[in-house]
Amino acid sequence: MKKNIKPVISLAMLVLVTACLSSCRSSDSMTKEDQSKNPNIIIIYMDDLGYGDVSAYESGTLQTPNFDKLASGGIRFTNAYASSATCTPSRYAILTGTYPWRNKNAKILPGTAPLLIDTAQMTIPKMLKQAGYHTGVVGKWHLGLGNGNTDWNREISPGPNQVGFDYSYIMAATQDRVPTVYIKNGHVVGLDPSDPIQVNYDQNFEGEPTALNNPEMLTMKWHHGHNNSIVNGVPRIGFMKGGEAAKWSDIDMADHFLEKAKSYVNESAQKDTPFFLYYAMQQPHVPRTPHPRFEGASGMGPRGDAIVEADWIVGEFLKELEDLGILENTLIIFSSDNGPVLNDGYYDDAVEKLGDHTPSGRYRGGKYSLFEAGTRLPFIAYWEGKIQPGVSDAMITQIDLFESLAALVGIDEETEDSENLLKVLMGKSTLGREDFILEATTRTAYRKGDWMMIPPYRGPAIEQNVQIELGNLGEYQLYNLKEDPSQQTNLAKSDPEKLGEMIRDFEAIRGENNRQIQQLELK
């Protein structure tokens, strides 16, 4: 009997070990499968698009059916904010989950500025890579490149690829700033080595025409600030020489970036891992140069036409996701970097042809402003089959995307300022964040609950070039946004108790960084 026991035991052990190994392999397989079930994530980030510029928000008269498709199929947030009323700070905040006023260099950057995001800093793409994501950025960057002494004729680093993006196809700054070239993974696209690029924001290169001296070369007339180098008949900010073969075509820019975004999702769809795409569109920022097929489409001049073009671009992009069979497994966030502006440097009939359209909706101010329209923006979360369509008035900010997306993919990463509002983003909760500090060109204000407090600031009440109220006043401003969303009644004097509470809470967050109050409050 004992002779037979040993083989039986061995066989039993073999079966047990085999079962264990099979189970372990199954467990490993499930882990990989679970990772692959994480959704693709796309942030579509507009440039200077106002609350009233999306027709689903029922605040303007411009029609945007493809923006509306996202809104009607997802959660349309009515109480959502960018971190800043200007572009670079908001872009810094959305990618890092950090208030831009914590970084003294987070302001509107020239095209030659060094990289604003520290390469050691955690970012959304870095965080998502920990969950197995492939990451890409297409479109407007405007967060600096290199170390401040960039040689545009060699590899440009550090840049997007050094802060978490596996793939980048960008313009360095804005469409109205030099250099007017595309940059792919740190290299200028189509550059002829025999015609090197030179860029300077302080002085022109000898013999190069400028908008000031050569108005006959212009196809677009500048209004303020845009009178340096001329590219494609458009006057720009900054001086550039060389790189003729690499210069972009302004009217083809939207189509060009769409092609790159489509290519990225096509290639990513072939992989076993999910992808993250930060699709930073350039519309309707100046210079507004919609493709000729969109000219006159809005009846509102180039600004309206650029928005119609952008809406079409989003529609084509959604079709691509649908054709690839990945739309239902893709979370799409749609928003804008700051509020709207009409005349932002060029004579382009944005004011004259506005008609009865209201880019800011019912809100006061716009780009550059501490009033609501500077930072309260369209914000849509769309995930077919996962997010039930609806409208939410929960307060959410773009800073909160960092921790919310981290929670979505199961990564334990936090920042000082971001909040995990995943349930709000998914339409499972109406409990948004309690408060936050918004910014406009280094000035800050405080939102808590239904209340908004703006500290005293010196300076003009209206920015004359753009004709937008900035929110500056030589005394405190206090508004109840629930009762007075248009901020017409200043309650600072009539409700000193609430004002005092707001000031204390504001300064508790700002702390030593509260340089605006220290420098600008009236004595």
Side-chain angles (χ1 to χ4, degrees):
M1 290 291 295
K2 289 183 180 180
K3 288 182 181 181
N4 293 330
I5 292 176
K6 193 169 184 179
V8 171
I9 293 176
S10 297
L11 180 61
M13 290 181 65
L14 179 62
V15 171
L16 182 62
V17 169
T18 302
C20 180
L21 289 173
S22 175
S23 174
C24 290
R25 281 195 297 269
S26 175
S27 177
D28 287 343
S29 176
M30 287 179 64
T31 299
K32 291 178 181 178
E33 185 180 349
D34 288 342
Q35 280 191 352
S36 68
K37 286 182 179 179
N38 277 335
N40 304 309
I41 300 171
I42 298 173
I43 296 176
I44 300 177
Y45 209 41
M46 302 300 298
D47 197 353
D48 294 355
L49 190 76
Y51 188 95
D53 285 327
V54 175
S55 50
Y57 279 81
E58 301 178 346
S59 297
T61 59
L62 192 64
Q63 294 303 302
T64 55
N66 294 298
F67 296 166
D68 293 357
K69 179 179 179 180
L70 292 175
S72 62
I75 299 291
R76 173 167 58 88
F77 290 93
T78 62
N79 202 10
Y81 291 84
S83 66
S84 176
T86 55
C87 50
T88 296
S90 287
R91 291 164 194 274
Y92 173 83
I94 196 172
L95 289 179
T96 65
T98 304
Y99 279 130
W101 48 261
R102 296 194 189 279
N103 185 334
K104 65 180 181 180
N105 296 316
K107 52 190 176 183
I108 301 174
L109 297 178
T112 52
L115 181 64
L116 179 62
I117 301 174
D118 192 302
T119 55
Q121 190 169 1
M122 183 54 66
T123 62
I124 285 180
K126 278 187 180 180
M127 177 269 293
L128 291 175
K129 282 168 70 70
Q130 295 180 37
Y133 278 72
H134 192 277
T135 59
V137 53
V138 170
K140 174 180 172 177
W141 181 241
H142 209 187
L143 287 165
L145 292 168
N147 58 13
N149 296 298
T150 300
D151 183 347
W152 303 95
N153 308 288
R154 300 177 181 274
E155 182 178 2
I156 303 164
S157 181
N161 299 83
Q162 284 69 49
V163 295
F165 289 103
D166 297 308
Y167 171 82
S168 66
Y169 196 100
I170 62 169
M171 59 174 165
T174 57
Q175 195 179 343
D176 59 342
R177 286 174 171 82
V178 297
T180 52
V181 296
Y182 297 119
I183 301 167
K184 178 181 179 181
N185 294 328
H187 297 274
V188 172
V189 177
L191 179 64
D192 180 354
S194 66
D195 183 26
I197 295 174
Q198 298 180 66
V199 178
N200 193 308
Y201 271 69
D202 296 321
Q203 60 183 12
N204 192 23
F205 300 98
E206 186 176 355
E208 291 296 304
T210 67
L212 278 175
N213 299 325
N214 303 89
E216 74 283 356
M217 296 178 62
L218 302 180
T219 58
M220 185 179 294
K221 185 179 179 183
W222 62 276
H223 179 270
H224 61 273
H226 299 73
N227 53 27
N228 300 150
S229 286
I230 305 167
V231 180
N232 303 331
V234 179
R236 316 282 171 158
I237 300 173
F239 303 99
M240 176 178 173
K241 181 180 180 179
E244 290 299 323
K247 289 179 179 177
W248 63 50
S249 166
D250 290 272
I251 61 172
D252 295 310
M253 180 174 286
D255 290 333
H256 190 76
F257 280 140
L258 173 61
E259 177 192 346
K260 301 306 174 185
K262 282 183 174 181
S263 295
Y264 178 77
V265 298
N266 263 277
E267 293 176 12
S268 298
Q270 309 306 316
K271 299 180 172 67
D272 294 330
T273 57
F275 67 83
F276 165 63
L277 174 62
Y278 172 51
Y279 188 4
M281 298 174 66
Q282 86 281 6
Q283 301 108 318
H285 192 284
V286 294
R288 294 142 184 162
T289 56
H291 192 276
R293 67 182 185 274
F294 293 100
E295 288 183 4
S298 69
M300 299 178 189
R303 183 181 186 274
D305 294 347
I307 296 174
V308 171
E309 177 185 53
D311 180 76
W312 179 85
I313 291 288
V314 167
E316 292 300 298
F317 186 59
L318 293 177
K319 288 179 186 177
E320 188 72 13
L321 298 176
E322 197 165 12
D323 290 345
L324 289 170
I326 60 175
L327 182 60
E328 64 182 14
N329 191 39
T330 300
L331 169 62
I332 300 173
I333 306 295
F334 175 93
S335 195
S336 176
D337 61 351
N338 51 249
V341 58
L342 298 179
N343 181 344
D344 203 20
Y346 298 92
Y347 288 100
D348 64 0
D349 291 332
V351 176
E352 293 80 2
K353 294 185 177 180
L354 183 64
D356 56 359
H357 179 56
T358 50
S360 296
R362 61 178 176 172
Y363 299 110
R364 190 175 179 182
K367 185 177 182 178
Y368 310 113
S369 177
L370 286 171
F371 287 127
E372 282 292 277
T375 50
R376 189 186 286 216
L377 301 165
F379 189 112
I380 299 165
Y382 176 97
W383 186 357
E384 190 174 301
K386 296 291 185 179
I387 293 179
Q388 295 303 308
V391 179
S392 174
D393 63 358
M395 185 158 65
I396 188 171
T397 77
Q398 293 169 7
I399 295 175
D400 301 320
L401 287 175
F402 185 101
E403 287 199 18
S404 301
L405 294 179
L408 175 68
V409 301
I411 297 296
D412 185 17
E413 285 283 357
E414 297 180 354
T415 74
E416 187 173 3
D417 304 314
S418 183
E419 294 188 14
N420 177 5
L421 297 182
L422 180 59
K423 290 183 178 180
V424 173
L425 201 64
M426 297 294 291
K428 304 296 184 182
S429 171
T430 58
L431 187 62
R433 70 154 56 218
E434 180 184 6
D435 65 352
F436 88 107
I437 294 178
L438 61 92
E439 178 192 76
T441 58
T442 72
R443 298 162 297 133
T444 52
Y446 183 55
R447 169 78 194 268
K448 183 178 180 181
D450 294 328
W451 295 86
M452 172 68 73
M453 184 276 294
I454 304 176
Y457 290 107
R458 292 179 176 175
I462 297 177
E463 212 293 328
Q464 292 302 317
N465 286 324
V466 299
Q467 289 295 299
I468 288 175
E469 291 184 290
L470 298 177
N472 295 333
L473 190 66
E475 58 188 33
Y476 281 100
Q477 298 176 71
L478 180 67
Y479 300 97
N480 185 318
L481 296 178
K482 184 176 183 179
E483 299 176 358
D484 179 25
S486 299
Q487 295 174 288
Q488 298 300 311
T489 305
N490 183 2
L491 302 175
K493 292 181 179 178
S494 61
D495 197 342
E497 184 176 347
K498 172 57 72 172
L499 176 63
E501 173 193 324
M502 295 288 285
I503 293 172
R504 287 191 299 272
D505 292 346
F506 169 68
E507 294 187 341
I509 299 172
R510 289 289 272 128
E512 295 180 0
N513 289 301
N514 192 12
R515 61 186 183 278
Q516 284 79 9
I517 295 293
Q518 297 168 356
Q519 294 173 356
L520 300 175
E521 186 173 353
L522 299 180
K523 295 181 180 179

